[in-house]
Amino acid sequence: MLDRRRLLAAGLASGLAAAGIRAPLAAEPGVLRIGYQKNGILAVAREQAAIEAALKGQGVGVRWVEFSFGPPLLEALSLGAIDFGQTGDAPPIFAQAAGANLVYAAAQPRGGSGSAILLPKGSTLATLADLKGKRVAFAKGSSAHNLTVAALEKAGLSYRDITPVLLAPADGAAAFAGGTVDAWTVWDPYFAIAENGEGVRILAQAPDITPTNNFFLANKGFAEERPQVLTTAIAALGEVALWCEANRPSVAASLSKVTGVPLAATRRAVDRIRFVIAPMEASVTGEQQHIADRFHRIGVIPRPVRVSDIVWTPPAAPVQPPKNG
């Protein structure tokens, strides 16, 4: 009988093959495989070939694999189909609870502020408390899942007070446009596209509800076996982040071209991003632990997790001998 890991691997490989993406489940010597979404620092780094340039001296190439949201990206990461990628706050927690083979490599503190709970045209809802008894759409295990739960807590409601409608972003957009859900929690660029729709209102935005961090994660085996490649890639992303902070109009123009999202919507999304790469400091780890405890408390993940157990520590830089003289 096939075990769960082999079934997931087969399903993932089939799904990526159908999309025309080659995704071997074993590490490829001389290649860093990066999972990305068409938004944020990794998307800009791909356009600039910044990581490719940084790794050229090590004889390492880069292969990019696109994902629509975080949970399938981390499934691929755990199975070894990719080596490195970025998600919001909730996906790593669900992955860790499922025993995923990954580590936190770096953080983007307050980088995920472009998320919101949206109301469709004609909605009479006015406050978060009005979500009681309503159908709320979001992607399971995503940052939108966490934002929804945190918003309910802020309103004095429980997870049982709503009817969760678990939909991937594209399906959520269709349900929202079709009026089959009462609210939709989603992130940019979906948020930026939807908020300009006729009659669409914002019930709440992430900064008003909870801190929203993004994370860069790596396959655990890859981090242990090729730490220099990982540290070089993260350093390159730090340079890209600095460039993005200083060149937001150019970032918006580049991402709009790549995604096909109208420039005006892309500008709104870019303006909500905090472009920064930082180590996994105690404060960020603590915020992530709070989210993990919340999900376990309401029974969404099956067991408690300790976030610090999978925080990667980069190897110490070699000590340079003193110069003579």
Side-chain angles (χ1 to χ4, degrees), residues 123-187:
S123 174
T124 59
L125 276 62
T127 68
L128 290 173
D130 294 334
L131 291 173
K132 186 173 183 178
K134 304 301 182 184
R135 291 170 56 83
V136 183
F138 51 86
K140 181 180 179 180
S142 70
S143 59
H145 198 158
N146 177 49
L147 178 58
T148 301
V149 174
L152 293 172
E153 283 191 356
K154 184 170 184 177
L157 301 177
S158 74
Y159 194 53
R160 292 188 297 273
D161 286 324
I162 66 165
T163 299
V165 182
L166 306 178
L167 297 171
D171 296 327
F176 184 73
T180 59
V181 296
D182 300 296
W184 181 32
T185 310
V186 74
W187 57 90

Side-chain angles (χ1 to χ4, degrees), residues 33-121:
R33 299 164 301 170
I34 303 176
Y36 77 106
Q37 302 173 55
K38 284 187 174 180
N39 192 36
I41 294 173
L42 276 180
V44 177
R46 182 174 185 267
E47 283 301 291
Q48 295 182 348
I51 298 176
E52 287 88 339
L55 290 174
K56 186 176 181 180
Q58 298 180 37
V60 176
V62 177
R63 177 174 294 120
W64 296 86
V65 183
E66 183 186 336
F67 293 84
S68 61
F69 64 123
L73 187 156
L74 292 190
E75 187 72 67
L77 193 71
S78 177
L79 290 170
I82 58 174
D83 307 307
F84 181 67
Q86 181 184 16
T87 75
D89 48 23
I93 291 167
F94 280 75
Q96 185 179 4
N101 185 40
L102 51 82
V103 292
Y104 291 91
Q108 186 182 0
R110 305 301 188 269
S113 297
S115 302
I117 302 174
L118 301 176
L119 302 176
K121 180 181 179 179

Side-chain angles (χ1 to χ4, degrees), residues 131-265:
L131 291 173
K132 186 173 183 178
K134 304 301 182 184
R135 291 170 56 83
V136 183
F138 51 86
K140 181 180 179 180
S142 70
S143 59
H145 198 158
N146 177 49
L147 178 58
T148 301
V149 174
L152 293 172
E153 283 191 356
K154 184 170 184 177
L157 301 177
S158 74
Y159 194 53
R160 292 188 297 273
D161 286 324
I162 66 165
T163 299
V165 182
L166 306 178
L167 297 171
D171 296 327
F176 184 73
T180 59
V181 296
D182 300 296
W184 181 32
T185 310
V186 74
W187 57 90
D188 281 325
Y190 306 99
F191 167 26
I193 297 169
E195 70 177 313
N196 204 39
E198 182 183 355
V200 172
R201 291 189 292 117
I202 300 171
L203 181 62
Q205 295 193 60
D208 300 323
I209 302 298
T210 185
T212 46
N213 305 311
N214 289 335
F215 298 94
F216 295 88
L217 299 108
N219 175 273
K220 183 179 180 182
F222 179 87
E224 292 174 347
E225 295 166 14
R226 303 171 74 186
Q228 188 57 47
V229 172
L230 187 53
T231 55
T232 300
I234 292 170
L237 287 174
E239 294 298 319
V240 172
L242 290 173
W243 183 88
C244 289
E245 277 289 317
N247 296 276
R248 289 179 182 270
S250 296
V251 173
S254 176
L255 290 179
S256 178
K257 181 179 179 180
V258 169
T259 63
V261 174
L263 182 57

